[in-house]
């Protein structure tokens, strides 16, 4: 069980990776077909435009992009939904509400796993207790978390949610979290002392496991891949100058539709563009993950609105904290700084072994 899958590359790929890894380990794996009950499109349209109107005040094209995004959300996801359809089956019946979740108790599953992604962040997980398996309360069904994330360093739980989720977490057979801070949060929020930090599922697989989705035959290998959710004008100018100085093409992706095609590129295109890039600049956790897997020189730009705890925790595992940049003037110098990939790979293998041991304890 993870957050509802939508037009989010990292969210889809982490679900694919955990399912793929467990299937290779000999298990029949079903994804809970989790859906949100969204408000009417009209309300969504108004809320989306108002929320970003201020930050887009001087970029009128972005305001219209938001309008298009809200009106064509199903169409823009078509390529990503194809990946979900082909690579994340079988799935349970569609689950929308508590009654649907409760019906899962009778489907004959031996183990329920929640994670990865920000499943324990109230900002993203509506009805937070569902992601602590409230629908399994009072049953002997085994449940664990794998690489569950709180998403932020600051507490986002109400006192009532803390009490409710603490009681539910006590019914877990095993608890693992994605960030180092998550171990402390389990203790401080819910009084649970036994949480372990493990790798995001995408890192359980190797670069070779993703190669079937990557196309290299048309690559020039001289691009600056920018996967940034929100950037200001000053950053745009810095990127253009950096690309011009090094004779590189800028490939910019966001969480929005492409102005030319009206939809988001598919998973394969996103992976290919990152893999073929000469350099990567990103404020995305999972883009950092794939830079590590593909040995790409990268800079992790800290987006304070989205939070930095996730990225810092990831990079600390591999001694890559120096890849974090918070000033546009530092970008060029950082990209020139080499990464000792042999050292990173040794640390990655050690973390993989520990993460696989956690899963094996409950699946063998």
């Amino acid at each position: 069980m993870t957050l509802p899958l939508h037009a989010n590359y990292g969210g889809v790929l982490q679900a694919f990776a955990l399912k793929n890894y467990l299937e290779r380990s000999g298990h029949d794996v079903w994804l809970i077909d989790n859906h949100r009950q969204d408000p009417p499109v009209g309300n969504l349209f108004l809320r989306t435009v108002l929320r970003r109107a201020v930050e887009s005040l001087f970029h009128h094209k972005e305001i219209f992009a938001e309008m298009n995004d809200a009106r064509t959300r199903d169409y823009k996801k078509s390529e990503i939904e194809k990946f979900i359809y082909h690579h994340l089956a079988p799935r349970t019946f569609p689950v929308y509400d508590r009654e649907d979740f409760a019906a899962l108790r009778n489907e004959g599953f031996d183990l329920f796993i929640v994670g990865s992604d920000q499943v324990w962040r109230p900002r993203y997980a509506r009805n937070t207790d569902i992601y602590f398996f409230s629908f399994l309360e009072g049953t002997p069904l085994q449940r664990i978390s794998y690489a569950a994330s709180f998403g932020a360093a600051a507490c986002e739980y109400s006192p009532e949610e803390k009490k409710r989720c603490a009681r539910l977490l006590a019914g877990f057979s095993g608890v693992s979290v994605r960030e180092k801070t998550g171990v402390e949060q389990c203790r401080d929020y819910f009084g649970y002392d036994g949480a372990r930090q493990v790798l995001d599922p995408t890192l359980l697989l190797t670069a070779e496991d993703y190669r079937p989705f990557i196309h290299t035959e048309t690559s020039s290998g001289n691009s600056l891949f920018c996967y940034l959710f929100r950037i200001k004008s000053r950053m745009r100018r810095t990127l253009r100058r950096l690309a011009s100085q090094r004779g590189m093409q800028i490939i910019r992706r966001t969480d929005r539709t492409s102005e030319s095609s009206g939809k988001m590129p598919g998973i394969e295109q996103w992976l290919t563009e990152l893999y073929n890039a000469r350099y990567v600049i990103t404020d995305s956790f999972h883009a950092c993950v794939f830079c590590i897997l593909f040995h790409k020189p990268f800079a992790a730009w800290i987006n304070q609105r989205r939070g930095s705890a996730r990225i810092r925790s990831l990079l600390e595992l591999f001694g890559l904290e120096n890849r974090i940049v918070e000033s546009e003037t530092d970008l060029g110098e950082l990209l020139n700084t080499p990464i000792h990939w042999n050292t990173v790979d040794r640390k990655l293998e050690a973390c993989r072994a520990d993460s696989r041991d956690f899963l094996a304890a409950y699946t063998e």
Side-chain angles (χ1 to χ4, degrees):
M1 178 180 179
T2 191
L3 294 172
L5 298 181
H6 59 99
N8 180 290
Y9 300 109
V12 173
L13 283 165
Q14 62 82 21
F16 163 79
L18 184 56
K19 185 175 186 297
N20 186 278
Y21 176 77
L22 290 170
E23 287 175 337
R24 292 185 186 187
S25 300
H27 304 289
D28 294 324
V29 184
W30 291 67
L31 181 74
I32 294 179
D33 195 9
N34 188 11
H35 292 265
R36 284 196 177 100
Q37 288 184 309
D38 284 324
V41 171
N43 292 342
L44 173 67
F45 167 75
L46 289 173
R47 194 171 69 249
T48 300
V49 173
L50 289 173
R51 178 165 55 88
R52 293 180 177 167
V54 174
E55 66 186 58
S56 302
L57 188 60
F58 299 103
H59 303 284
H60 62 278
K61 288 184 179 179
E62 292 192 10
I63 295 178
F64 289 106
E66 295 293 350
M67 295 166 65
N68 180 65
D69 180 70
R71 287 173 169 168
T72 63
R73 40 189 288 154
D74 290 332
Y75 171 68
K76 78 171 184 179
K77 293 188 297 185
S78 59
E79 292 302 317
I80 297 177
E81 286 178 336
K82 288 178 185 177
F83 185 94
I84 295 170
Y85 178 81
H86 289 294
H87 299 287
L88 282 168
R91 294 182 294 277
T92 67
F93 50 82
V95 176
Y96 290 93
D97 54 29
R98 292 182 182 275
E99 184 178 350
D100 293 335
F101 277 108
L104 293 170
R105 294 179 297 190
N106 304 315
E107 293 300 301
F109 296 119
D110 303 298
L111 174 67
F112 287 80
I113 304 176
V114 61
S116 176
D117 224 348
Q118 299 179 67
V119 289
W120 287 350
R121 188 173 191 180
R123 176 178 172 183
Y124 297 138
R126 302 177 188 177
N127 299 319
T128 311
D129 63 299
I130 289 289
Y131 294 90
F132 288 82
F133 292 128
S134 57
F135 57 93
L136 300 180
E137 193 173 20
T139 75
L141 292 169
Q142 188 177 27
R143 65 214 78 159
I144 66 171
S145 67
Y146 182 79
S149 175
F150 292 95
C155 181
E156 296 181 347
Y157 286 75
S158 69
E160 293 75 19
E161 287 173 327
K162 283 185 181 180
K163 291 179 183 178
R164 171 72 167 143
C165 294
R167 185 170 69 252
L168 293 169
L169 197 63
F172 279 53
S173 300
V175 175
S176 67
V177 291
R178 195 174 67 180
E179 287 83 38
K180 181 180 178 180
T181 53
V183 175
E184 301 164 357
Q185 288 166 313
C186 283
R187 182 192 64 228
D188 297 341
Y189 297 177
F190 313 123
Y192 190 95
D193 288 321
R196 286 172 55 179
Q197 183 184 10
V198 294
L199 290 177
D200 185 83
T202 48
L203 287 165
L204 291 175
L205 306 185
T206 68
E208 288 301 314
D209 294 320
Y210 296 103
R211 221 170 276 275
F213 305 118
I214 295 168
H215 309 286
T216 58
E217 61 275 5
T218 59
S219 169
S220 66
N222 196 34
S223 60
L224 176 63
F225 183 70
C226 303
Y227 185 55
L228 296 160
F229 285 72
R230 301 287 180 270
I231 61 173
K232 297 180 180 179
S233 298
R234 186 170 59 182
M235 182 61 151
R236 296 173 195 269
R237 291 193 296 269
T238 299
L239 295 175
R240 287 195 294 266
R241 183 170 61 252
L242 186 62
S244 176
Q245 290 171 347
R246 305 187 185 206
M248 295 183 296
Q249 172 194 7
I250 293 179
I251 298 177
R252 186 174 172 226
R253 298 297 176 207
T254 70
D255 62 337
R256 305 181 188 183
T257 59
S258 164
E259 289 185 11
S260 59
S261 66
K263 60 183 178 180
M264 293 179 71
I267 297 289
E268 293 90 343
Q269 184 177 341
W270 185 83
L271 284 173
T272 296
E273 289 172 344
L274 190 149
Y275 180 87
N276 289 334
R278 181 177 169 189
Y279 300 112
V280 176
I281 299 173
T282 186
D283 58 4
S284 157
F285 174 91
H286 282 105
C288 288
V289 163
F290 284 98
C291 286
I292 292 169
L293 284 171
F294 297 157
H295 290 186
K296 289 294 159 183
F298 71 101
W301 177 258
I302 296 302
N303 184 327
Q304 295 299 341
R305 183 177 180 273
R306 302 183 66 236
S308 62
R310 297 171 298 129
I311 291 178
R312 290 187 187 278
S313 182
L314 170 71
L315 299 185
E316 284 172 1
L317 286 175
F318 308 112
L320 293 173
E321 304 97 308
N322 67 327
R323 307 312 295 188
I324 295 174
V325 61
E326 299 185 55
S327 169
E328 295 91 341
T329 57
D330 298 331
L331 274 175
E333 181 179 352
L334 179 58
L335 292 177
N336 285 334
T337 303
I339 298 173
H340 301 292
W341 289 115
N342 288 337
T343 301
V344 172
D345 287 343
R346 284 196 298 271
K347 293 179 178 179
L348 175 56
E349 280 306 316
C351 291
R352 273 192 184 128
D354 186 62
S355 299
R356 289 167 176 168
D357 285 346
F358 174 84
L359 284 170
Y362 304 100
T363 59
E364 291 185 354

